[in-house]
Amino acid sequence: MVVGAGPAGLTAAYLLSKQGHRVTVLEGDEVVGGISRTAQYKDYRFDIGGHRFFTKIEPVESLWHEILGEEFISVPRLSRIHYNGKYFNYPLKPMNALLGLGPLNATRIILSYIRAKIWPSKVEENFEQWVTNRFGRRLYETFFKTYTEKVWGIPCTEIRAEWAAQRIQGLSLARAILSAASLNRRSTKIKTLINEFQYPRLGPGQMWEACRDRVVEAGNQVLMRHHVTNLELADGKVAAVRAQTPDGEVRLAADHVISTMPVRSLVRCFDPAVPDHVREAGEGLKYRDFLVVALMLDRGDLFPDNWIYIHTPGVKVGRIQNFNNWSAAMVPEPDRTCLGLEYFCFKGDGLWDTPDADLIALATTELGHLGLAEATSVVDGAVIRMPKAYPIYDSRYADHLQAVRSFIDPVPNLHTVGRNGMHKYNNQDHSMLTAMMTVQNMNGAEYDIWAVNTDFEYHEEQRVDGREREPVPTGG
């Protein structure tokens, strides 16, 4: 039994199907792919966030091509930061930032950096301390603080340093200055930005739709609108899964359960109920929700970026995708553009509950305010809401997760995988890897799937001296 038809769940189901096992996938939604789905509105297709297909994990790379074949295209990569009418490189390059902010701000940033080097924070428990120690307080407040708090909805002092270490490029201000002055030639030869990535011609959902079809062709089931409500425990194992469907409740016996549902939801599902301290820990895990306002414009060639991070104050939008620059097949007419304006929120707050028409009007206004397109060029729009898009690394999450794991890890036939299934900010390929390793563990391997994690440098840079990180083995 697999709970959830996102990348991790469908990867597990596909591999088990290939091995001849009987598999049932239960998905509460009407669309496969989870956050990696492709939404459709009229003849437009768009991502829920934009999903590049780049990996150094060879088994994942092979699986992508095994499933989708010739439907991949190569896409040039360009992403920048928009800040007060100017553009800055992303990932952030300190020298580019210094030059773009002007001599006065540059001087203040360098002085702030020197101060951080002389008097660094002796404790690096949170995001603010981690970034300030490496870039100085002024650069942190300019490019990191406001945007990060917009994304996560909590103060940077509440975000764990380990998230910063995963997601922010390992480049110091001193190294950037030395490199620009040709005083550190060796460092400039080690890494280069990845400037191209693979992408399914019709968006990431095409991958997971094809994967679902392979599972079904093998004689197995992918059941949509089956919302799992209970995992029945007997003799320390999961004996059955109950799910609510449009036609009522169903109960399905299970030899193994691979779960990708959010950990908080999983804790609520056990029957009999978990001990109080485990329930409280599960309730303490938090998530950031997300919505996309897709705007259709009667103009083409708006800007060359795949996506732009919006650090400019005064607007609520956090990131803007230009889907024309991902795949021309996503947009039905060559002289039209589909933009995805992304807003980070909490389910039930004012933004989440705003009517679609008002969200489209807000996105249109903010697009014009940023100078990216005239509001009059917007001819249509659609809104997609995605709950629990990002697990939050707040000050208590590690303790909460450990308390939950103390209960679920001893259950021998329950396997949690994927981003929400492990409350880890994993990318798509890492989520797939946790599923691949779990399938191998079910066959007798002993991989530690909790050691699989996200590495920002891993996704944004590659070595040019021939030295690459070894792919994680996943067995035969």
Side-chain angles (χ1 to χ4, degrees):
M1 188 74 61
V2 176
V3 179
L10 285 174
T11 294
Y14 175 71
L15 294 175
L16 289 168
S17 295
K18 285 182 64 177
Q19 294 175 7
H21 296 289
R22 308 312 304 164
V23 183
T24 298
V25 181
L26 303 179
E27 170 57 53
D29 209 334
E30 299 178 344
V31 183
V32 298
I35 196 173
S36 296
R37 73 186 61 188
T38 299
Q40 297 186 49
Y41 173 75
K42 297 181 179 178
D43 293 327
Y44 293 88
R45 300 172 68 93
F46 49 93
D47 286 17
I48 312 300
H51 291 81
R52 288 180 295 153
F53 283 67
F54 170 80
T55 187
K56 291 182 182 177
I57 307 171
E58 292 180 2
V60 170
E61 176 95 15
S62 297
L63 190 63
W64 283 341
H65 288 277
E66 178 180 322
I67 293 172
L68 206 55
E70 299 300 316
E71 284 296 295
F72 275 113
I73 60 175
S74 293
V75 180
R77 175 201 182 283
L78 176 62
S79 59
R80 293 179 293 173
I81 293 170
H82 184 285
Y83 179 73
N84 287 341
K86 294 183 179 181
Y87 291 93
F88 298 86
N89 292 340
Y90 178 82
L92 184 66
K93 293 294 185 287
M95 281 306 299
N96 170 253
L98 294 177
L99 294 173
L101 291 171
L104 180 59
N105 274 328
T107 300
R108 290 173 174 170
I109 286 170
I110 292 173
L111 291 175
S112 175
Y113 170 78
I114 293 171
R115 178 182 177 85
K117 293 294 104 177
I118 297 173
W119 297 290
S121 172
K122 295 180 180 179
V123 178
E124 281 193 359
E125 294 181 345
N126 62 50
F127 181 93
E128 180 174 293
Q129 293 163 340
W130 193 97
V131 176
T132 300
N133 275 357
R134 285 156 182 77
F135 295 96
R137 176 162 292 276
R138 192 168 185 89
L139 196 62
Y140 156 73
E141 290 179 344
T142 301
F143 279 112
F144 294 95
K145 184 179 188 296
T146 303
Y147 180 79
T148 302
E149 291 181 351
K150 179 194 295 187
V151 171
W152 293 104
I154 59 176
C156 287
T157 52
E158 286 293 306
I159 300 171
R160 295 299 81 197
E162 63 196 86
W163 182 83
Q166 290 175 5
R167 306 301 293 182
I168 295 178
Q169 183 187 19
L171 176 66
S172 73
L173 189 58
R175 186 187 305 172
I177 294 170
L178 291 173
S179 297
S182 299
L183 297 175
N184 192 19
R185 296 181 183 276
R186 183 177 180 276
S187 70
T188 65
K189 296 180 180 179
I190 293 179
K191 299 170 185 174
T192 181
L193 276 176
I194 295 161
N195 56 19
E196 191 172 79
F197 57 87
Q198 298 177 90
Y199 189 71
R201 185 177 62 86
L202 296 176
Q206 185 180 13
M207 166 67 71
W208 304 114
E209 292 158 12
C211 189
R212 171 203 59 201
D213 294 345
R214 296 287 190 95
V215 172
V216 173
E217 288 166 4
N220 291 315
Q221 298 183 92
V222 179
L223 303 177
M224 310 304 292
R225 300 176 71 186
H226 279 59
H227 178 73
V228 172
T229 56
N230 295 92
L231 272 66
E232 296 180 9
L233 295 176
D235 299 322
K237 299 174 66 177
V238 180
V241 175
R242 300 202 302 271
Q244 191 65 39
T245 79
D247 299 320
E249 186 179 75
V250 296
R251 181 184 183 275
L252 301 169
D255 295 322
H256 286 268
V257 173
I258 297 176
S259 173
T260 70
M261 76 168 77
V263 175
R264 187 172 70 191
S265 301
L266 175 66
V267 169
R268 294 172 178 173
C269 283
F270 287 109
D271 181 12
V274 301
D276 288 346
H277 76 280
V278 176
R279 177 185 56 78
E280 291 169 3
E283 294 301 319
L285 294 171
K286 299 176 183 177
Y287 304 84
R288 189 65 162 158
D289 305 309
F290 176 87
L291 61 86
V292 178
V293 182
L295 297 181
M296 294 73 189
L297 296 87
D298 61 2
R299 290 183 52 198
D301 300 323
L302 286 179
F303 49 83
D305 307 73
N306 309 104
W307 69 94
I308 298 175
Y309 294 92
I310 307 301
H311 288 227
T312 298
V315 294
K316 294 181 179 180
V317 64
R319 188 170 57 182
I320 299 178
Q321 308 282 345
N322 187 335
F323 294 110
N324 298 50
N325 298 335
W326 289 77
S327 171
M330 305 277 277
V331 181
E333 300 175 54
D335 58 346
R336 293 286 179 104
T337 295
C338 180
L339 301 180
L341 282 76
E342 301 172 9
Y343 293 86
F344 306 93
C345 52
F346 289 113
K347 187 175 182 179
D349 69 12
L351 193 60
W352 179 271
D353 291 333
T354 299
D356 288 3
D358 293 343
L359 287 170
I360 292 169
L362 170 66
T364 301
T365 299
E366 293 196 336
L367 190 65
H369 177 77
L370 293 167
L372 295 174
E374 295 180 357
T376 54
S377 63
V378 175
V379 295
D380 206 348
V383 177
I384 302 292
R385 292 171 175 81
M386 180 61 63
K388 298 184 179 66
Y390 305 112
I392 293 178
Y393 282 38
D394 62 16
S395 60
R396 295 293 310 281
Y397 99 94
D399 292 337
H400 291 321
L401 187 59
Q402 187 57 45
V404 172
R405 286 189 60 191
S406 70
F407 180 84
I408 64 175
D409 285 358
V411 181
N413 67 336
L414 174 62
H415 317 277
T416 55
V417 300
R419 173 182 284 194
N420 277 345
M422 302 172 71
H423 203 85
K424 273 196 169 188
Y425 196 86
N426 281 337
N427 285 296
Q428 181 175 224
D429 61 336
H430 289 92
S431 292
M432 292 175 64
L433 182 60
T434 63
M436 298 171 85
M437 296 170 81
T438 292
V439 170
Q440 291 300 318
N441 285 348
M442 292 167 64
N443 292 328
E446 296 182 354
Y447 294 116
D448 180 7
I449 67 167
W450 291 92
V452 176
N453 216 327
T454 310
D455 181 337
F456 184 88
E457 176 187 67
Y458 175 93
H459 283 272
E460 298 296 344
E461 296 183 323
Q462 59 187 356
R463 291 185 182 274
V464 295
D465 60 1
R467 293 177 292 165
E468 296 290 357
R469 187 173 305 182
E470 289 297 316
V472 179
T474 59

